[in-house]
Amino acid sequence: MGIAIENVTKRFGKTCALEGVSCTFGENRIYGLLGNNGAGKTTLLNLITNRLYADEGSITVDGEDVRDRNSALETIFYIGEQNLYPEEMRVEKALRTTASFYPGFDLEYAFSLAERFKLNTRKKITSLSTGYASIFRLITALSTGAAYLLLDEPVLGLDATNRDLFYRTLLERYTAKPATIILSTHLIGEVAALLSDAVIIHNGRILRCAEVETLLESGYTVTGPAARVDDYVSGRKVLSSSTVGGIRTACIEGKMENSLPEGLEAGKLNLQDYFISLMKKSEE
């Protein structure tokens, strides 16, 4: 049934972190929760996991209200930057402890991932570098067997090699054991190929919530000499444009045309272009 969020508002004093937010995270899909820093991504995830309470609206998991309902939260595993384990606990002990709370936890898989990522399981969690602390949390999440994985800025501190390894491992895990995975991130270009759906949030409001394919079909790009691009886009709805060395690329709302004037090339929108265009449009 998934996670349903209906008209949720959350305030911190005079600051409205989320305002009238409604969206659904369906079963067995990979979502990108996309937004700039401060957009409200972490607040939303904390509300889903009952770490915060909404001032207005409702949140249900498989039809059950998350407020004061432990059974609704047993199917969710959430990771953020914060370490919730005792300071003296070592990685191996933390994995075994987590396994006692999640019946579906695959301890053998967890240790195999530790070897793959070269994580020393004998180390104390608090002694891990920022990157390896992230790796520890990711390994824990991927091993839980939870139906819903909420990953908040999951690649914090990871180098390019380990980020690539994580993305490949995530897809392997998803293929072998489908789940609803929510990736909250601002690294849109890196995760775009993983996502089936995108929830785009800006200043506490949901701007878009749809399949990635549907979003990208709403526009296209045109590239060529700046003057020719300017002539072409006249009278059309331009989402954004950029120029490098006299070559301009414009993102245009609408369906791609079958033919273009000489010297111009059309292309598909990518998710990062779409996101940037949407952010610029929302600031107008």
Side-chain angles (χ1 to χ4, degrees):
M1 295 173 63
I3 299 172
I5 299 163
E6 296 185 8
N7 297 316
V8 165
T9 294
K10 178 62 181 176
R11 300 180 184 88
F12 297 99
K14 294 182 179 180
T15 301
C16 189
L18 295 173
E19 183 175 359
V21 166
S22 295
C23 62
T24 300
F25 298 98
E27 292 180 300
N28 300 334
R29 300 182 70 82
I30 301 179
Y31 287 83
L33 180 58
L34 311 178
N36 295 326
N37 292 331
K41 304 187 300 296
T42 298
T43 298
L44 182 58
L45 296 180
N46 278 316
L47 289 171
I48 292 172
T49 53
N50 225 16
R51 299 182 184 197
L52 294 172
Y53 291 92
D55 297 319
E56 301 171 20
S58 66
I59 300 175
T60 59
V61 177
D62 295 335
E64 189 174 1
D65 196 312
V66 298
R67 289 172 295 189
D68 302 319
R69 301 284 183 90
N70 289 334
S71 57
L73 300 174
E74 289 173 354
T75 58
I76 299 175
F77 193 83
Y78 169 58
I79 65 166
E81 296 181 33
Q82 189 176 6
N83 170 42
L84 300 178
Y85 294 90
E87 289 189 3
E88 296 299 311
M89 186 172 282
R90 299 182 187 276
V91 171
E92 179 179 356
K93 177 66 172 177
L95 293 174
R96 295 186 184 280
T97 299
T98 306
S100 68
F101 289 96
Y102 285 85
F105 195 98
D106 190 335
L107 198 55
E108 183 178 351
Y109 178 64
F111 285 116
S112 72
L113 288 184
E115 289 185 12
R116 184 184 298 185
F117 283 93
K118 297 180 173 57
L119 171 63
N120 184 349
T121 58
R122 296 186 299 276
K123 278 195 167 186
K124 292 181 180 179
I125 296 171
T126 52
S127 72
L128 297 174
S129 66
T130 301
Y132 271 105
S134 292
I135 287 171
F136 160 67
R137 290 190 289 269
L138 292 171
I139 288 173
T140 306
L142 293 174
S143 304
T144 60
Y148 300 97
L149 297 180
L150 280 53
L151 311 181
D152 192 4
E153 297 292 354
V155 296
L156 181 69
L158 269 62
D159 58 30
T161 300
N162 277 321
R163 291 202 305 273
D164 178 69
L165 179 57
F166 163 63
Y167 296 136
R168 288 189 283 112
T169 302
L170 179 67
L171 277 180
E172 290 172 7
R173 192 272 189 199
Y174 177 78
T175 301
K177 190 176 180 61
T180 297
I181 300 172
I182 303 175
L183 290 168
S184 172
T185 183
H186 63 281
L187 300 176
I188 299 166
E190 289 193 359
V191 303
L194 303 174
L195 307 179
S196 58
D197 300 77
V199 176
I200 300 177
I201 186 169
H202 180 64
N203 289 341
R205 296 186 178 186
I206 300 293
L207 299 184
R208 297 288 188 275
C209 181
E211 293 183 6
V212 171
E213 185 177 349
T214 299
L215 293 177
L216 300 187
E217 285 176 349
S218 66
Y220 61 103
T221 64
V222 171
T223 302
R228 292 191 180 186
V229 171
D230 288 342
D231 288 341
Y232 175 79
V233 302
S234 179
R236 292 179 169 86
K237 191 166 185 179
V238 179
L239 298 173
S240 67
S241 65
S242 59
T243 305
V244 178
I247 300 299
R248 180 164 295 165
T249 297
C251 299
I252 303 168
E253 188 174 286
K255 285 192 174 183
M256 187 186 300
E257 298 179 8
N258 293 327
S259 61
L260 292 176
E262 186 178 352
L264 298 182
E265 293 183 2
K268 292 184 178 180
L269 279 178
N270 61 53
L271 189 57
Q272 183 160 296
D273 286 339
Y274 181 86
F275 175 83
I276 292 171
S277 298
L278 195 59
M279 291 301 103
K280 289 182 177 179
K281 184 179 179 181
S282 68
E283 294 291 350
E284 291 177 355

